[in-house]
Each structure stands twice: as C-alpha cells, then as structure tokens.
Amino acid sequence: MTTKRSITVTVNGQQQHSEIEPRTLLVHYLREVLDLTGTHIGCNTSQCGACVVMLNGEAVKSCTVLAVQADGGEVTTIEGLAPEGSLHPIQEGFWEKHGLQCGFCTPGMIMASYQLLKNNPHPTEAEIRRGLEGNICRCTGYQNIVRAVQDAAERMSTSAETPVPAGD
C-alpha cells in the first residue's frame, strides 16, 4: 500500500494543497488533480517536449519530474502565462505567424520559447532553433515556429508592459 504525501505547490499564482501518491508525475498532477489540461502528454519518455512547464523559473519536462519534487515550488503552465482573457506576446506570435497546426506541441513550444526569451530577449534564428531543441513538432517544419518566436521577441521588446507569469 502506497502512503500518500501532502504537497503544497503554487501553480499559476494559486497555492494548491494536495494529497498524492509519491510516484505521481508532475504532468499527471497538473492534468488529473488540478485539471490543467493545457500541458500535454506526448511521449512519456522526455523526448517530445509537449509537457514543458516552468518550475521555479526554469523550463522542465513535467513528465520527468515527480510532483513531490515540486513541493514548496512555483509552477507556471500554459494556462498561467497570461491573465485570463488575454494572450502573452509569445502566444500572439504563434497565432499571428501560424506557429501551430494541430496544436499538440504548442503549449510545450510556447513554454520553451518563454524560457528562451527570458534568458535571451533578442535571439538569432540559430539561437531560437537551439533553444527549442528537445521540442518536437511533426506538423510545421519549424519555420513558422521560429518566425513566431522572432515576432514574440519583437513584441516583448517594444511592449512597455510585458505580461509575466506569477512566480517568474
């Protein structure tokens, strides 16, 4: 019999208290316990990047992190990137530059792009491609994703007030 563990995690600015099995992956905690289904499960092997979220300010593949490892931490998911009813400049870039097709990889791509632009606000095309390594898209061929990140970088540099997720 597995003993449940009590965890407290701040997710998208809201403190969450939960009793979970110690083996619960962060991606399953977000989707099944908190009903935040924007974080996708793609490969379950950390290969695709569909499950990328921010944990304590760093992009992580949530299929490789146990939820108990996030205890006391801060998580930002795609749902928490911008205030309700608005889009973050990265989301706007993906929309305007057609950086998505089926949309399955999009949350992970956007969160990885967020990490990239947080660390390098003016990346070159090569730096964008390098920054998105580990995130797989089977539909777009990546060129529009790169354009979307370039567009987001421009939007964020010209915006007087860039929306920043809680905890970042």
Side-chain angles (χ1 to χ4, degrees), residues 5-11 16 18-34 53 55-56 60-75:
R5 286 264 323 262
S6 177
I7 64 169
T8 301
V9 184
T10 301
V11 180
Q16 304 289 336
S18 303
E19 295 286 325
I20 60 166
E21 290 188 26
R23 64 188 176 128
T24 303
L25 293 171
L26 182 57
V27 68
H28 294 293
Y29 173 69
L30 295 169
R31 291 179 59 81
E32 296 164 14
V33 176
L34 301 183
V53 299
L55 174 60
N56 298 325
V60 298
K61 291 180 179 177
S62 60
C63 74
T64 64
V65 177
L66 294 170
V68 294
Q69 292 174 289
D71 187 23
E74 295 187 22
V75 174

Side-chain angles (χ1 to χ4, degrees), residues 51 116 130 161:
C51 66
L116 169 68
R130 220 175 3 265
E161 203 170 313

Side-chain angles (χ1 to χ4, degrees), residues 116 124-133 141-143 146:
L116 169 68
T124 64
E125 180 177 334
E127 290 169 329
I128 292 169
R129 289 182 182 280
R130 220 175 3 265
L132 295 178
E133 286 178 356
Y142 297 96
Q143 190 54 43
V146 171

Side-chain angles (χ1 to χ4, degrees), residues 126-149:
E127 290 169 329
I128 292 169
R129 289 182 182 280
R130 220 175 3 265
L132 295 178
E133 286 178 356
N135 289 74
I136 296 173
C137 176
R138 293 185 170 97
C139 300
T140 67
Y142 297 96
Q143 190 54 43
N144 285 346
I145 292 171
V146 171
R147 287 187 189 121
V149 177

